[in-house]
């Protein structure tokens, strides 16, 4: 997790108590380490005043803001005023007569979530006669457009991730009944064969859409055992196997722009893909670099299974808006893309923490979605107060779940908690220990000593 510093931005705020719902704007400074943390801290700061953040713009770390926005003494003073013990400060507020929400940056990639209904239980049905794929997923991965070139379907599969499901390395050419080739070549392909990415042609044979007997056994095994376990990324394109193989060979080993180091980039991992491609969706040259091949053949979509789910996501380029843009040369990971990986790590922590508490407290009425959002809010609040250890964040979240909003708003405990976490002399473990003690003491003096069910 990156270091905390002063971030600044222009904020648009709505006064929820005003009968005419007056809107205001001001500069704000927040002690945080992410753009996401800036918004969350402001939401928490404004909530007790029955105000809400409509949006924030030009939000950057102070050093970058000065480079882009120039010298502004008022903003500089705001940035100097925030620290771990005083995380949010607002500047002079001015009235806004009408909503002037800025025009968002154009996006060139669309990331869509697809709900895939589970198939009926087919346990007693012989493997060869089972419905091999849900109809909605079949259409997404193998359906054909009403007009235009026929789309082929490819899969980049991670040998190591696949092996965790099968227990053995099974991507040998004599074991696979569909075209397959490692994205590595020569000695590296032999040395790393059990951890390498492989391109597999998953295009259905003629007649296989209607006749399940014509569907290759690899397909049936994949959707029976591997879908939902994030072992690979699908590609839909009219391009040939050789063109797709040559195109994606450029990306597994890639250079980082900041320090020019080389890194192994597992872009085919469905757990990483949405965060990564989300980080470049406003950069047209990057979109062209990924989705257009040297011979101008285009990728129509990338498709993967959502984390811990049988649902799917698709990443689709907007070719109409990409007209006139060209690729920007050799692939290189910019700062924006690296931040996409940071977001993935944080999102992974929130998902896993939500799942852990969902299992730990089955009688709670919190959904996994609720718990994921709570984890995000508590994690950001903890990080703002220099509590970054995952175990300590989880302990504080556990305490929050027992008392809900009283954690931040009830005078009997909120002021004590705030005093603890803003004490710079305390280690993060001691902060977590003392927060837990305050919550236990609060519960011992209240009539409701049970877990707060479903109320955040």
């Amino acid at each position: 997790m990156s270091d905390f510093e002063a971030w600044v931005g222009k904020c648009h705020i709505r006064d929820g108590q005003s009968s005419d719902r007056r809107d205001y704007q001001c500069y704000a400074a927040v002690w945080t380490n992410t753009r996401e943390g800036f918004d969350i801290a402001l939401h928490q700061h404004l909530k007790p005043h029955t105000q809400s953040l409509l949006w924030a713009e030009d939000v950057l770390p102070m050093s970058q803001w000065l480079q882009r926005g120039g010298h502004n003494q008022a903003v500089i003073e705001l940035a100097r005023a925030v620290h771990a013990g005083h995380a949010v400060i607002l500047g002079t507020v001015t009235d806004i007569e009408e909503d002037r929400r800025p025009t968002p940056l154009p996006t060139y990639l669309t990331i869509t979530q697809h709900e895939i209904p589970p198939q009926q239980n087919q346990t007693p049905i012989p493997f060869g006669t089972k419905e091999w794929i849900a109809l909605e997923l079949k259409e997404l991965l193998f359906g054909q457009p009403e007009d235009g070139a026929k789309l082929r379907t490819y899969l980049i599969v991670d040998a190591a991730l696949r092996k965790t499901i099968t227990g053995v390395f099974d991507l040998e050419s004599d074991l696979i009944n569909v075209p397959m080739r490692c994205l590595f070549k020569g000695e590296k392909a032999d040395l790393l064969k059990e951890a390498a990415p492989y391109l597999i042609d998953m295009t259905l044979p003629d007649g296989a859409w209607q006749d399940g007997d014509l569907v290759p056994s690899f397909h049936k095994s994949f959707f029976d055992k591997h879908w939902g376990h994030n072992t690979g990324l699908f590609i839909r394109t009219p391009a040939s196997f050789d063109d797709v193989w040559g195109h994606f060979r450029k990306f597994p080993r890639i250079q980082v722009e900041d320090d020019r180091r080389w890194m192994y980039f597992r872009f085919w991992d469905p757990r990483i893909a949405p965060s990564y491609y989300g980080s470049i969706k406003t950069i047209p040259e990057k979109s062209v670099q990924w989705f257009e091949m040297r011979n101008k053949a285009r990728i129509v979509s990338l498709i993967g299974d959502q984390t811990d789910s049988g649902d799917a996501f698709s990443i689709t380029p907007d070719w109409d808006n990409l007209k006139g843009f060209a690729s920007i040369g050799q692939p290189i990971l910019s700062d924006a893309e690296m931040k996409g990986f940071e977001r993935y790590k944080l999102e992974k922590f929130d998902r896993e923490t939500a799942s852990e508490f969902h299992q730990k407290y089955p009688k709670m009425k919190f959904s996994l979605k609720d718990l994921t959002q709570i984890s995000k809010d508590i994690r950001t609040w903890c990080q703002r107060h220099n509590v970054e250890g995952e175990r300590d964040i989880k302990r504080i979240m556990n305490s929050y779940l027992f008392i809900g909003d009283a954690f931040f708003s009830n005078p009997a405990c909120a002021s004590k908690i705030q005093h603890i976490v803003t004490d710079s002399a305390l280690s993060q473990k001691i902060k977590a220990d003392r927060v837990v003690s305050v919550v236990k003491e609060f519960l011992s003096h209240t009539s409701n000593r049970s877990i707060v069910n479903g109320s955040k």
Side-chain angles (χ1 to χ4, degrees), residues 402-404 442-453 455:
F402 272 78
I403 62 174
F442 175 77
L443 285 170
S444 70
H445 290 90
T446 60
S447 57
N448 178 15
R449 301 185 186 184
S450 61
I451 297 173
V452 177
N453 287 327
S455 62

Side-chain angles (χ1 to χ4, degrees), residues 11-244:
C11 302
H12 297 250
I13 298 167
R14 173 161 293 167
D15 186 344
Q17 284 188 330
S18 297
S19 58
D20 58 353
R21 296 177 66 85
R22 301 295 292 181
D23 293 345
Y24 306 90
Q25 68 179 9
C26 66
Y27 282 105
V30 176
W31 188 253
T32 184
N33 64 342
T34 63
R35 171 66 173 83
E36 173 189 72
F38 184 93
D39 284 351
I40 292 175
L42 274 172
H43 279 297
Q44 292 178 344
H45 178 79
L46 294 169
K47 186 176 179 181
H49 305 287
T50 64
Q51 295 174 326
S52 59
L53 176 68
L54 296 177
W55 75 87
E57 57 191 87
D58 300 328
V59 179
L60 292 167
M62 187 58 191
S63 57
Q64 295 181 30
W65 195 93
L66 285 172
Q67 293 174 6
R68 180 178 297 185
H71 186 90
N72 184 318
Q73 190 60 37
V75 174
I76 292 172
E77 292 302 322
L78 290 175
R80 288 174 176 170
V82 292
H83 49 80
H86 185 59
V88 179
I89 187 168
L90 304 181
T92 303
V93 175
T94 57
D95 193 10
I96 304 175
E97 295 182 359
E98 59 183 18
D99 188 358
R100 296 200 297 263
R101 183 179 294 273
T103 303
L105 290 173
T107 58
Y108 302 92
L109 299 176
T110 299
I111 302 175
T112 306
Q113 310 299 324
H114 302 270
E115 185 175 350
I116 308 297
Q119 291 182 274
Q120 294 182 347
N121 181 18
Q122 301 187 74
T123 303
I125 302 174
F127 178 75
T129 58
K130 290 181 179 180
E131 289 292 336
W132 64 280
I133 189 172
L135 180 60
E136 293 82 0
L137 185 57
K138 183 179 179 182
E139 184 64 44
L140 184 64
L141 291 173
F142 303 102
Q144 294 297 329
E146 295 182 0
D147 53 13
K150 177 184 176 181
L151 295 182
R152 302 187 65 81
T153 302
Y154 302 96
L155 169 68
I156 298 180
V157 64
D158 187 301
L161 293 176
R162 181 178 171 85
K163 187 176 178 180
T164 63
I165 307 300
T166 62
V168 296
F169 173 71
D170 62 353
L171 293 176
E172 299 281 10
S173 58
D174 57 345
L175 299 175
I176 302 297
N177 62 343
V178 289
M180 177 195 69
R181 190 185 305 172
C182 183
L183 287 187
F184 297 156
K185 289 172 57 176
E187 183 179 344
K188 183 184 291 187
D190 292 332
L191 183 64
L192 300 175
K193 71 174 186 177
E194 295 194 17
Y198 289 77
L199 179 68
I200 298 175
D201 191 343
M202 297 285 283
T203 306
L204 289 179
D206 291 341
W209 181 274
Q210 297 85 6
D211 187 350
D213 291 339
L214 299 177
V215 177
S217 59
F218 181 86
H219 292 54
K220 294 180 178 180
S221 176
F222 180 87
F223 291 103
D224 182 56
K225 299 177 181 177
H226 296 269
W227 181 261
H229 295 284
N230 310 123
T231 59
L233 190 67
F234 284 87
I235 304 156
R236 302 227 64 198
T237 176
S240 70
F241 184 95
D242 287 343
D243 284 343
V244 174

Side-chain angles (χ1 to χ4, degrees), residues 143-415:
Q144 294 297 329
E146 295 182 0
D147 53 13
K150 177 184 176 181
L151 295 182
R152 302 187 65 81
T153 302
Y154 302 96
L155 169 68
I156 298 180
V157 64
D158 187 301
L161 293 176
R162 181 178 171 85
K163 187 176 178 180
T164 63
I165 307 300
T166 62
V168 296
F169 173 71
D170 62 353
L171 293 176
E172 299 281 10
S173 58
D174 57 345
L175 299 175
I176 302 297
N177 62 343
V178 289
M180 177 195 69
R181 190 185 305 172
C182 183
L183 287 187
F184 297 156
K185 289 172 57 176
E187 183 179 344
K188 183 184 291 187
D190 292 332
L191 183 64
L192 300 175
K193 71 174 186 177
E194 295 194 17
Y198 289 77
L199 179 68
I200 298 175
D201 191 343
M202 297 285 283
T203 306
L204 289 179
D206 291 341
W209 181 274
Q210 297 85 6
D211 187 350
D213 291 339
L214 299 177
V215 177
S217 59
F218 181 86
H219 292 54
K220 294 180 178 180
S221 176
F222 180 87
F223 291 103
D224 182 56
K225 299 177 181 177
H226 296 269
W227 181 261
H229 295 284
N230 310 123
T231 59
L233 190 67
F234 284 87
I235 304 156
R236 302 227 64 198
T237 176
S240 70
F241 184 95
D242 287 343
D243 284 343
V244 174
W245 179 80
H247 177 70
F248 282 104
R249 284 199 70 249
K250 298 184 296 185
F251 300 105
R253 186 171 179 266
I254 196 166
Q255 198 171 23
V256 179
E257 183 178 46
D258 182 46
D259 54 13
R260 298 295 168 176
R261 74 182 187 278
W262 290 88
M263 65 176 286
Y264 186 49
F265 180 22
R266 299 172 65 254
F267 64 88
W268 55 85
D269 188 332
R271 297 168 298 183
I272 295 173
S275 294
Y276 171 71
Y277 288 102
S279 73
I280 66 168
K281 65 182 181 181
T282 60
I283 308 174
E285 296 85 359
K286 286 280 185 181
S287 299
V288 173
Q289 185 177 66
W290 275 98
F291 287 85
E292 187 173 80
M293 303 177 201
R294 289 180 181 176
N295 60 4
K296 301 301 181 181
R298 292 173 173 177
I299 293 166
V300 173
S301 62
L302 301 177
I303 300 166
D305 47 348
Q306 294 187 26
T307 302
D308 303 321
S309 168
D311 291 338
F313 66 83
S314 62
I315 303 166
T316 307
D318 184 345
W319 288 112
D320 287 338
N321 283 339
L322 286 169
K323 288 179 181 177
F325 290 103
S327 178
I328 51 178
Q330 290 299 312
I332 190 166
L333 289 177
S334 65
D335 182 62
E337 292 164 277
M338 294 302 291
K339 288 190 179 300
F341 297 133
E342 292 180 16
R343 284 196 299 273
Y344 161 71
K345 292 177 183 178
L346 297 176
E347 290 166 358
K348 179 182 178 184
F349 171 82
D350 293 332
R351 288 194 304 267
E352 292 178 348
T353 301
S355 179
E356 178 182 329
F357 281 107
H358 198 256
Q359 295 177 33
K360 185 176 182 179
Y361 299 127
K363 293 183 179 180
M364 279 186 174
K365 295 180 181 178
F366 290 115
S367 66
L368 274 172
K369 183 178 180 180
D370 292 335
L371 289 168
T372 301
Q373 184 62 48
I374 292 171
S375 175
K376 176 181 176 181
D377 291 345
I378 295 298
R379 167 180 56 76
T380 304
W381 179 83
C382 286
Q383 291 171 334
R384 194 168 70 249
H385 295 99
N386 297 318
V387 178
E388 299 195 359
E390 292 185 358
R391 182 174 181 273
D392 294 319
I393 294 172
K394 288 180 180 180
R395 292 179 65 212
I396 290 175
M397 177 174 169
N398 188 81
S399 296
Y400 172 87
L401 292 175
F402 272 78
I403 62 174
D405 272 346
F407 188 95
F408 292 112
S409 60
N410 191 294
C413 63
S415 60

